[in-house]
Amino acid sequence: MDIVVQVAQFLLSLSLLIVLHEFGHFLPARLFGTRVEKFFLFFDVKFALFKKKIGETVYGIGWLPLGGYVKISGMIDESMDKEQMALPPQPYEFRSKPAWQRLIIMLGGVIVNFLIALFIYILGSAYYGDTTIAIDSLKDGFLVENPILTDVGFRTGDKIKSVDGEVFDNYTDLRNGLIVADQVTVDRDGVEMSFDLPEDFLGKLSTSDNRDLFELREPFFVGQVTDSSANKGAGLQEKDYLVAINGEELRYFDEFVEKLNTLKGQTVSTSILRDGNRIEVPLVVSNEGKLDIYRLNDLKLMEEFGYLKIVRKEYTLGESFGVGFDKFRSKFGWYGSQLKKIGNPSTGAYKGVGGFWAIFQIFPSVWSWEAFWSITAFLSIMLGVLNLLPIPALDGGHVMFLLYEMISGRKPNDKFMEYAQLVGFFLLIALLLFANGNDIYRAITK
């Protein structure tokens, strides 16, 4: 059932973004009197799952879910309709329109993508507000276990002071900043120290099985005792709060892990808080140094016991415009930073580029409209930015040639545009194969 929910969110999000992106081309084309022959969600190679002609346009759904398209009369695009282009230009064709109108038509899709993201961030801020964790409430620093970070020199208990010189007040923004960081400054036992992240940090992180960064240090709340555990009949209850072993007070789960590794195969006395009462419970430590107890992750419980502070912000509709714009600008810049690193071979970040499976995995296994809209907004930014890349066959490629025409006063001839379109098409296929090949490789190697 979980995978059904993920598939539903994935298809709904991408279908919505594709249709609205193509509508961004369709609308100005029709406003400028340009004929649109087809408007399709997905590609209809050889046949379509559904199609219906309304007026001059055939609307439909293709079977190949690699995107969508609008076929505009008199335009050299992926359809490579040479017969039409060999005929004399008609007033309703794309090629007959002034360059500025053609530019608006080509930019329409990405503009709509950016507007969708901005619209979602504004309404999402007004409806959901923001919920995050205050950095200054994490008194004992972060949990650092990923070898990629420990090899740099970071240690559990480090408190992050700044990332690339920027100070963050909430955990969500901090994690985003860390992904593209070059330098991190921490406070370790009252001493500030700075660490330069290796150039290939993002590449290592994106291709590693362990993508943990600076994680929350959590207490040991009992979730469930496994049926095979020697502690099954110990009388533990959900939300029991373990605070000590053999009289030694321990505050964090990582401290319990370290302590239990020294007590393998022994029976120990543990102190547990339950309903405000402290009780002693003997527990068996396995030969692997574990209690075989699933830990409960509960942020509200953590806040109740003073481990962190959950910050909830609500905005009026008026306030949400400014907040939404700031979110859009931040996400746009963050994605641009990632693309910059991906474009630099020395970072190795290109190895972490993913395709449809990587996008699919972003969606949660339970339906959450808040998460759905947040992910959709970011995917809309991604789609807009990627379509602006100056690759023939993408909107950015058409824009590049149109800007050349407007500046030079010379229009590239149709034969050149046909070849450029073919080159761009094969580049796109190569990129798709590379991205989805990365997904397959990671799945096999894991």
Side-chain angles (χ1 to χ4, degrees):
M1 186 62 186
D2 290 349
I3 195 169
V4 173
V5 172
Q6 281 184 286
V7 169
Q9 291 178 93
F10 172 75
L11 291 177
L12 177 60
S13 179
L14 287 191
S15 298
L16 181 66
L17 292 178
I18 290 168
V19 167
L20 291 175
H21 174 90
E22 299 305 333
F23 182 74
H25 296 304
F26 175 86
L27 181 61
R30 298 301 298 128
L31 288 175
F32 295 137
T34 310
R35 180 178 294 175
V36 179
E37 298 174 12
K38 285 186 173 183
F39 188 135
F40 264 73
L41 170 65
F42 305 148
F43 291 104
D44 58 325
V45 181
K46 300 298 183 181
F47 70 93
L49 299 177
F50 164 82
K51 62 180 179 179
K52 181 176 178 61
K53 187 171 184 178
I54 302 175
E56 300 172 334
T57 306
V58 176
Y59 299 88
I61 300 175
W63 63 271
L64 187 60
L66 296 179
Y69 71 98
V70 289
K71 186 179 185 308
I72 300 174
S73 294
M75 175 182 171
I76 298 176
D77 56 14
E78 58 272 10
S79 68
M80 299 299 291
D81 191 347
K82 296 180 181 180
E83 292 183 6
Q84 184 185 63
M85 299 304 295
L87 299 173
Q90 301 298 316
Y92 57 79
E93 290 185 333
F94 179 82
R95 55 180 165 167
S96 300
K97 303 301 178 182
W100 67 269
Q101 290 186 3
R102 285 181 277 137
L103 181 64
I104 292 174
I105 292 171
M106 294 315 306
L107 285 173
V110 297
I111 290 173
V112 165
N113 281 132
F114 295 148
L115 288 177
I116 289 169
L118 180 59
F119 181 74
I120 291 174
Y121 285 133
I122 290 172
L123 288 189
S125 298
Y127 189 79
Y128 297 111
D130 284 324
T131 302
T132 188
I133 298 168
I135 293 295
D136 60 9
S137 68
L138 307 174
K139 303 301 182 185
D140 297 310
F142 291 91
L143 175 67
V144 182
E145 293 183 318
N146 193 330
I148 297 172
L149 291 172
T150 56
D151 288 349
V152 175
F154 296 108
R155 298 290 180 266
T156 292
D158 285 348
K159 303 172 185 176
I160 298 179
K161 303 298 291 184
S162 65
V163 178
D164 290 336
E166 184 176 356
V167 178
F168 293 94
D169 62 1
N170 72 79
Y171 188 52
T172 303
D173 290 343
L174 172 65
R175 288 183 64 84
N176 288 337
L178 285 167
I179 291 174
V180 293
D182 294 315
Q183 186 183 74
V184 178
T185 299
V186 303
D187 178 332
R188 182 179 297 168
D189 300 325
V191 179
E192 281 197 12
M193 50 186 71
S194 295
F195 296 92
D196 293 322
L197 297 180
E199 188 176 27
D200 61 350
F201 172 72
L202 182 57
K204 287 181 177 179
L205 185 66
S206 58
T207 55
S208 172
D209 288 340
N210 186 348
R211 298 190 183 185
D212 291 342
L213 291 167
F214 289 78
E215 305 300 319
L216 297 176
R217 296 186 74 185
E218 300 184 15
F220 197 157
F221 294 128
V222 174
Q224 182 182 0
V225 183
T226 63
D227 290 335
S228 59
S229 173
N231 298 308
K232 181 66 176 177
L236 293 174
Q237 298 179 12
E238 187 178 30
K239 297 186 180 181
D240 278 350
Y241 175 22
L242 275 69
V243 294
I245 291 181
N246 290 341
E248 181 180 348
E249 299 292 322
L250 301 174
R251 182 165 172 78
Y252 295 101
F253 180 74
D254 57 89
E255 295 174 329
F256 277 92
V257 172
E258 186 176 347
K259 183 66 177 177
L260 289 170
N261 275 326
T262 68
L263 300 169
K264 295 178 180 179
Q266 300 182 34
T267 297
V268 298
S269 173
T270 63
S271 299
I272 292 174
L273 290 182
R274 180 188 298 167
D275 300 326
N277 299 313
R278 186 177 179 120
I279 58 177
E280 302 299 316
V281 179
L283 296 176
V284 177
V285 184
S286 72
N287 292 329
E288 290 75 34
K290 298 180 180 180
L291 296 176
D292 294 325
I293 298 171
Y294 286 113
R295 185 162 47 96
L296 177 66
N297 299 308
D298 191 318
L299 291 180
K300 290 183 178 179
L301 267 180
M302 290 176 66
E303 183 177 38
E304 181 182 330
F305 285 99
Y307 283 89
L308 50 77
K309 181 180 179 181
I310 299 173
V311 179
R312 171 75 180 172
K313 295 182 179 178
E314 296 184 352
Y315 308 102
T316 65
L317 183 59
E319 292 171 334
S320 67
F321 279 88
V323 173
F325 181 78
D326 287 342
K327 289 179 181 178
F328 173 82
R329 182 179 58 184
S330 174
K331 288 293 186 181
F332 190 94
W334 182 61
Y335 185 57
S337 298
Q338 289 189 63
L339 282 183
K340 183 178 178 181
K341 288 184 177 290
I342 290 171
N344 181 358
S346 60
T347 66
Y350 64 89
K351 298 175 185 177
V353 172
F356 293 113
W357 179 249
I359 297 173
F360 169 79
Q361 290 181 303
I362 297 174
F363 290 93
S365 57
V366 293
W367 194 284
S368 165
W369 281 112
E370 183 175 3
F372 172 83
W373 289 118
S374 177
I375 293 169
T376 299
F378 181 62
L379 290 179
S380 193
I381 291 175
M382 285 179 57
L383 184 60
V385 171
L386 292 176
N387 265 283
L388 274 180
L389 294 177
I391 299 175
L394 286 179
D395 297 343
H398 290 283
V399 169
M400 176 177 65
F401 291 127
L402 280 167
L403 290 176
Y404 167 80
E405 177 185 342
M406 295 174 74
I407 293 171
S408 67
R410 297 192 301 273
K411 182 178 180 181
N413 65 61
D414 290 346
K415 185 59 67 177
F416 171 82
M417 291 297 293
E418 287 177 13
Y419 286 131
Q421 193 75 14
L422 278 174
V423 170
F425 178 76
F426 285 115
L427 276 175
L428 283 181
I429 293 297
L431 287 173
L432 277 172
L433 290 174
F434 174 75
N436 289 284
N438 272 348
D439 287 342
I440 296 171
Y441 174 77
R442 283 193 290 269
I444 293 174
T445 55
K446 286 181 181 179

